[in-house]
Amino acid sequence: MNIKAGYPKWLDRAVFYQIYPQSFYDTNNDGIGDIPGINEKLDYLQWLGINAIWINPCFVSPFQDAGYDVADYYKVAPRYGTNQDLYKLCRAAHRRDIKICLDLVAGHTSIEHPWFKASCNPKQNKYSDRYIWTIPSKPITDFPLTLVKEHAPGKGDYIANFFNFQPALNYGFAKPDKDQPWQQPVNAPGPLEARKELIKIMKYWLSHGVDGFRVDMAFSLVKLDPGHKETIKLWQDIAQKVRAEYPEVVLIAEWGNPEESIAAGFDIDFMMHIGVEGYGALMLNENCFFRRNGGGNIEEFLKVYFTQTKKTKGRGLISIPSANHDFKRPYADDRTANDLKVIFTFLLTWPSMPFIYYGDEIGMRYIPKMESKEGGFGRTGTRTPMQWDNTRNAGFSKAEKTQLYLPLDPRKNRPTVEKQENESGSLLNHVRKLIVLRKNSPALQASAKLTPLPVKASDRHFAYLRESDSERYLIVLNPSAQPVEARLNVTKPGNLTPQICRGVKANVAGDVIQLNMGGISYGVFKL
Ligand code: NOJ
């Protein structure tokens, strides 16, 4: 069964912005960003041009994993404000034509969650089967998933989904082992209750104005599920029930396999994040394409990208984000703002769904070797406070410096929104121009045609056409430090009108375009 024919129309021209709420903007001077802080910065986000926001988990939590350890799905964490603040944010965002998506941690809770506490009780109760417990008298030694032992007297071991303090919710096993009766089928009462509750949580927030969800580890729900067949069926059921009441809901999967996630009913998947090499070859690896001296070529990325898009075309979208809270920001290692301009030129003219991680639009840096915070470990350096201006704490908070959620980038020349707003050649203005161009140009949007122009294995540049019924663009990129000369064959290119360009000269003779590209250069031309 495939219940999904398409995705909400507005996604074609959407540009998402990801907000890590604790680091965005603090309005109550406790050193931690909050929801009223997002509300206050909506004018900025509207000016930037984005039209959808994904907020990392903002629910009650002991914050052992920055909120990915939920203790109450129905309540905003007091450090971020109240439910009313969130409803208000939705209303204010909608007035600006901006959608709000929450982070739904579907696969596990915190050990502090009252469901888990009740489930730890050896006496049978409503929550006994909400999590996956082995049988106390029959310890299991050889098992492919993480078993956390001796947590609750009188109970067996429980399965953890990520960190040990994140017990997996029980959505059942794809093929329960008959000799292990604690492995329940997906349609057993416990798993069905967990599913029902998840639907209830989603409908609760949708009824208060939220537009959709980014689902954490969406692939992880049914255990020992080869090809995720049962997990796909489970999400199809959930999506169908939610869409019956909220047809416009947007569902974004952290799955890492669009072929599966889109079939499961999701609209968008971060293909590049888990288990797929393409994002590494594009942005992350030492020898990736977007590294001035990396030597990488675009082919490896294209191979992965086209394999996935062929299987999902028209039914869902793939996101290539600038970064996220789990990955190094693009402004790391040897990159500069100019390198980022090439990257953003790609991200905002490629058909994939752009997700801008807060601060990447001004080139905030990944800060290496930061002390781990809330389970962040190496990810902590990507989660530092937003740099708004040159006032105290970069305008992020009026709290004492020592109270800040995380220390700021200590460098004197750290980029700020205020400085870059006023510089026409800044990265921020570059990103903004690209967003405006994308939103106003059907040919640059998600569903418009893409034609990559051929590259040889030794090529460090890349060029592609984007086309709609009414317009045509040529995009050329040279992320390497070396200048490049290239000839492109394009039928009837006509005059090339540069829209957003740096360091590129293009001469047209008939159907041949001769390109002279400086090191680290880009061009978006209207044909
Ligand atoms: C993926 C999230 O992006 C990450 O931050 C979190 O630690 C794990 N899932 C566990 O929820």
Side-chain angles (χ1 to χ4, degrees), residues 205-494:
W205 291 109
L206 290 168
S207 76
H208 285 102
V210 161
D211 301 286
F213 303 94
R214 173 268 190 188
V215 181
D216 186 66
M217 294 175 68
F219 58 88
S220 74
L221 302 201
V222 178
K223 298 304 177 208
L224 303 185
D225 183 16
H228 297 113
K229 286 208 176 72
E230 289 299 326
T231 309
I232 292 171
K233 278 197 225 152
L234 177 116
W235 276 114
Q236 286 177 336
D237 177 47
I238 295 174
Q240 193 171 41
K241 290 192 169 118
V242 172
R243 286 205 174 98
E245 256 176 78
Y246 300 95
E248 282 297 296
V249 62
V250 56
L251 298 177
I252 307 159
E254 186 198 36
W255 193 304
N257 186 336
E259 187 182 4
E260 291 180 0
S261 56
I262 304 301
F266 286 90
D267 300 300
I268 304 172
D269 187 4
F270 299 101
M271 151 194 182
M272 307 307 175
H273 274 70
I274 307 168
V276 184
E277 311 74 29
Y279 193 68
L282 186 74
M283 309 256 294
L284 285 179
N285 302 344
E286 266 177 33
N287 59 352
C288 67
F289 177 65
F290 283 122
R291 224 178 265 296
R292 53 171 68 196
N293 298 313
N297 150 296
I298 194 75
E299 276 184 315
E300 196 175 335
F301 160 76
L302 291 181
K303 210 166 64 201
V304 178
Y305 180 80
F306 284 114
T307 310
Q308 288 291 343
T309 43
K310 253 184 223 136
K311 293 171 184 161
T312 53
K313 204 163 174 43
R315 292 183 294 124
L317 298 162
I318 289 171
S319 168
I320 309 176
S322 65
N324 78 12
H325 60 292
D326 292 332
F327 286 81
K328 260 193 189 176
R329 289 183 180 278
Y331 204 140
D333 313 316
D334 62 347
R335 289 204 184 108
T336 67
N338 281 338
D339 297 280
L340 262 68
K341 284 186 182 172
V342 187
I343 294 179
F344 272 111
T345 304
F346 169 76
L347 294 178
L348 289 160
T349 56
W350 194 250
S352 54
M353 177 62 52
F355 270 66
I356 300 173
Y357 183 54
Y358 82 97
D360 281 347
E361 75 276 22
I362 54 168
M364 271 176 59
R365 299 176 177 104
Y366 171 77
I367 317 285
K369 301 195 184 97
M370 283 198 90
E371 196 181 320
S372 179
K373 174 90 177 187
E374 297 186 346
F377 301 98
R379 309 176 290 183
T380 309
T382 245
R383 300 174 174 186
T384 57
M386 180 71 175
Q387 297 153 198
W388 293 105
D389 55 36
N390 272 337
T391 62
R392 177 172 168 184
N393 298 327
F396 160 66
S397 166
K398 293 200 169 59
E400 289 301 319
K401 199 171 162 187
T402 51
Q403 298 304 111
L404 298 187
Y405 176 73
L406 277 173
L408 280 144
D409 178 350
R411 288 174 236 208
K412 273 217 181 81
N413 66 344
R414 66 186 172 213
T416 66
V417 170
E418 188 186 41
K419 186 155 179 270
Q420 294 199 13
E421 270 174 347
N422 299 320
E423 282 170 9
S424 64
S426 66
L427 176 61
L428 177 60
N429 274 308
H430 176 73
V431 172
R432 181 170 183 252
K433 272 186 229 150
L434 283 163
I435 295 177
V436 171
L437 189 65
R438 182 177 177 110
K439 281 172 57 195
N440 292 333
S441 313
L444 294 176
Q445 294 167 10
S447 60
K449 190 175 169 200
L450 163 72
T451 314
L453 300 176
V455 278
K456 296 192 292 299
S458 56
D459 283 346
R460 283 289 282 127
H461 70 282
F462 179 41
Y464 48 98
L465 296 168
R466 299 293 321 275
E467 284 165 82
S468 68
D469 292 342
S470 55
E471 52 179 18
R472 197 152 67 126
Y473 285 89
L474 167 72
I475 295 98
V476 298
L477 308 166
N478 176 23
S480 86
Q482 305 310 319
V484 169
E485 284 186 15
R487 276 162 71 91
L488 306 176
N489 292 311
V490 175
T491 333
K492 296 203 182 110

Side-chain angles (χ1 to χ4, degrees), residues 143-145 172-175 183 222-226:
F143 192 65
L145 305 174
F173 282 74
K175 294 186 181 115
Q183 297 184 7
V222 178
K223 298 304 177 208
L224 303 185
D225 183 16

